[in-house]
């Protein structure tokens, strides 16, 4: 069922993180200068719309553009689901679609459903306050000697409210060690929500 898939995805991610976390001090320090948050822009709605938290349905796999690729299908969604809960911003549940429907078409379809219909469709305990529909805008990896894999990645994160049918859209970009990219973005989101 869904829970097994979630566990195996998180486990795969954990193993990948272990593989990638070799860190060499000297060259690492030099390269780190270029790292960090590159973009964080709210392009629709306001960040305050996310302050209520509540139940979030994270839908995966995220859509992707031609400049992006999946590390493994659904992994970005799984990583965001996990980090948003860790940060205490939402109670999230991840749903990975096994159907071979194009993710952006699937996202459009989800937006036709009300909160209660979403609860039933995905077998959730509670109707979600928000649905996270992501798009990977681009992804580039650079293998840094002695340091691991540095990833340059951009996301469009759409937090859709099935009750009001309004969305808050945030475009973010970060360059960091592969396993640090999503935590770094969620840290920034948390910081902005808490401090305005």
């Amino acid at each position: 069922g869904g829970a097994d898939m979630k566990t195996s995805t998180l486990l795969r991610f954990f193993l990948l993180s272990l593989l990638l976390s070799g860190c060499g001090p000297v060259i690492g320090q030099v390269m780190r200068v270029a790292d960090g948050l590159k973009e964080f822009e709210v392009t629709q709605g306001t960040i305050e719309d996310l302050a209520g938290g509540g139940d979030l349905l994270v839908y995966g796999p995220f859509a992707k553009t031609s400049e992006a690729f999946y590390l493994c299908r659904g992994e970005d969604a799984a990583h965001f689901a996990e980090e948003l809960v860790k940060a205490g911003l939402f109670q999230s549940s991840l749903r990975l679609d096994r159907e071979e429907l194009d993710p952006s078409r699937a996202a459009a379809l989800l937006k036709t459903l009300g909160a209660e219909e979403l609860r039933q469709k995905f077998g959730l305990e509670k109707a979600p306050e928000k649905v996270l529909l992501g798009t990977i805008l681009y992804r580039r990896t650079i293998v840094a000697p002695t340091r691991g894999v540095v990833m340059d990645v951009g996301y469009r994160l759409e937090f859709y409210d099935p009750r009001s049918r309004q969305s808050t859209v945030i475009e973010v970009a970060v360059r960091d060690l592969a396993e640090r990219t999503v935590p770094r973005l969620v840290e920034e989101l948390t910081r902005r929500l808490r401090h305005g």
Side-chain angles (χ1 to χ4, degrees):
D4 304 341
M5 184 155 180
K6 182 177 174 181
T7 311
S8 74
T9 305
L10 290 175
L11 186 66
R12 274 211 301 266
F13 189 82
F14 178 64
L15 294 173
L16 182 72
S17 303
L18 288 180
L19 277 174
L20 298 181
S21 56
C23 214
V26 184
I27 300 174
Q29 290 302 332
V30 178
M31 288 199 60
R32 197 159 291 146
V33 178
D35 286 359
L37 192 78
K38 292 164 62 175
E39 185 191 356
F40 193 105
E41 190 187 346
V42 181
T43 57
Q44 193 180 323
T46 70
I47 204 156
E48 290 73 39
D49 296 336
L50 305 181
D55 285 275
L56 174 74
L57 167 63
V58 180
Y59 181 77
F62 283 1
K64 64 181 175 57
T65 68
S66 57
E67 292 183 45
F69 58 89
Y70 293 126
L71 294 173
C72 72
R73 200 173 150 79
E75 184 186 298
D76 298 84
H79 204 184
F80 271 103
E82 187 186 12
E83 291 298 326
L84 287 163
V85 169
K86 262 198 223 162
L89 294 182
F90 291 97
Q91 292 306 309
S92 78
S93 45
L94 171 69
R95 285 298 177 272
L96 290 177
D97 220 326
R98 288 191 177 77
E99 297 160 34
E100 289 303 308
L101 195 58
D102 173 77
S104 47
R105 279 188 47 215
L109 214 60
L110 283 192
K111 287 164 75 171
T112 64
L113 303 176
E116 185 53 33
E117 290 171 300
L118 286 166
R119 186 188 75 72
Q120 287 172 6
K121 177 177 164 63
F122 293 107
L124 304 170
E125 282 175 36
K126 291 191 213 143
E129 316 275 331
K130 298 265 192 301
V131 182
L132 173 55
L133 304 164
T135 304
I136 312 165
L137 300 174
Y138 65 86
R139 187 195 312 271
R140 295 184 277 277
T141 52
I142 307 125
V143 178
T146 75
R147 194 172 162 215
V149 176
V150 172
M151 193 177 288
D152 224 341
V153 63
Y155 295 99
R156 182 184 299 116
L157 303 173
E158 177 177 358
F159 292 88
Y160 175 71
D161 181 331
R163 289 185 179 81
S164 68
R165 308 222 173 231
Q166 299 294 308
S167 288
T168 303
V169 180
I170 306 173
E171 296 210 359
V172 292
V174 65
R175 177 187 159 131
D176 207 330
L177 281 173
E179 68 275 19
R180 284 281 308 134
T181 51
V182 174
R184 181 74 74 70
L185 293 172
V186 171
E187 276 162 25
E188 183 62 18
L189 177 62
T190 308
R191 194 181 70 71
R192 289 180 187 226
L193 268 174
R194 302 259 152 90
H195 309 296

